[in-house]
Structure formats: C-alpha cells, structure tokens
Amino acid sequence: MKKLIIFFAFASFISHAQSRFIKLDSAKLIKHVESFIWLTEVNYVADKNSFDWGYNNYQFVNPKNEKDLFTIRFERRADGFDIVRVSGTFDSLFKIWKSDFDRKADADTVKNTGFAINGRTRFNKNKDSNYWSISSL
C-alpha cells in the first residue's frame, strides 16, 4: 500500500512537471512564444500570411534568411491552449532544448544522434527536411 501511494504521488509530480505547456490561456501562450523567439537569438518576425487560428500554427520567418522558418503548433481546447510542437533549425531549437528541457545537453551529441528525450518530450530531426522539432510524446 505504501508503494502504491508513493507511485501515485510520484506520477502526479511527473505529469505536473511535464505539463508546463498545456492548458495555457492566450496570454500565456503568447508569453511562451515570445520566450522561445527570444531564446533562439534570431530576430524572427511573424509571417502574417501563414498564421491561421484554424490551422493552429504560428509561423515566424528570419528576415535575413526567408528559408529559416520557426513554427509553433498548438491545439485549442475548452480549457486553454496546448503547445504541441515547436519546429525550426537545429541551432534555434537547441537553445530552447538546453534552456527549458535539458541544461546538460551537448549540441554535438544531439546532432549526431538525431534526437534527445527528456521525460515525455522529444527533440528530433525531421526525416524529410533539415528542420528539427521539440514535441510531446
């Protein structure tokens, strides 16, 4: 019985620890998006032609390199927004990964392996393009 109580307490703690990007109100969603942009150290600007609340994508473009895109995919729910996936170049996303998910991560190791996992969050290379993504498992 004692082990069962400890398990449920631990499971509750883990699920809470993994949920910082779910059930966000619109202000918190925007705050996280701005934080991600700031962490990339790239002056991404919103691509107003691609933004559509219906498709749940918020896309940004690097004005110095229009092929450098940064995309936030989210789901709209009755109780708020969930950030589902963040996509972009390795250099941009690794800064987010290291800051928010794995402070001990090594860029060369992650790049050579093609992925990294921390809890229920995965950082991996897209097989069809040169872009990477951070997503929830």
Side-chain angles (χ1 to χ4, degrees):
M1 183 68 163
K2 191 176 187 180
K3 288 182 182 180
L4 192 58
I5 292 170
I6 291 171
F7 170 76
F8 283 116
F10 183 70
S12 171
F13 172 77
I14 293 298
S15 67
H16 178 70
Q18 298 297 326
S19 65
R20 62 184 150 185
F21 301 126
I22 65 170
K23 295 184 182 175
L24 305 170
D25 61 28
S26 59
K28 285 182 183 175
L29 174 67
I30 297 299
K31 184 177 178 181
H32 280 295
V33 169
E34 289 172 347
S35 171
F36 291 156
I37 298 292
W38 181 80
L39 284 169
T40 67
E41 298 177 0
V42 175
N43 292 322
Y44 287 108
V45 295
D47 183 356
K48 297 188 188 323
N49 294 329
S50 70
F51 181 75
D52 186 347
W53 284 97
Y55 288 108
N56 301 329
N57 285 318
Y58 206 177
Q59 191 168 64
F60 299 85
V61 63
N62 180 346
K64 294 180 181 178
N65 177 2
E66 292 183 2
K67 292 182 180 181
D68 179 3
L69 302 174
F70 185 82
T71 306
I72 310 279
R73 177 143 179 89
F74 58 91
E75 290 181 354
R76 188 184 315 186
R77 300 179 181 268
D79 57 352
F81 297 93
D82 296 350
I83 297 175
V84 178
R85 182 175 44 249
V86 181
S87 303
T89 65
F90 176 83
D91 292 334
S92 292
L93 290 185
F94 184 75
K95 293 169 186 168
I96 296 169
W97 181 256
K98 187 156 180 117
S99 172
D100 287 354
F101 300 99
D102 186 0
R103 294 192 186 276
K104 296 178 183 179
D106 176 66
D108 291 333
T109 301
V110 173
K111 200 171 210 177
N112 291 333
T113 306
F115 73 95
I117 298 174
N118 185 351
R120 297 189 60 205
T121 308
R122 182 177 178 94
F123 178 37
N124 64 302
K125 185 175 189 292
N126 184 326
K127 295 176 184 171
D128 298 329
S129 71
N130 215 12
Y131 281 92
W132 288 69
S133 65
I134 298 173
S135 58
S136 216
L137 296 174

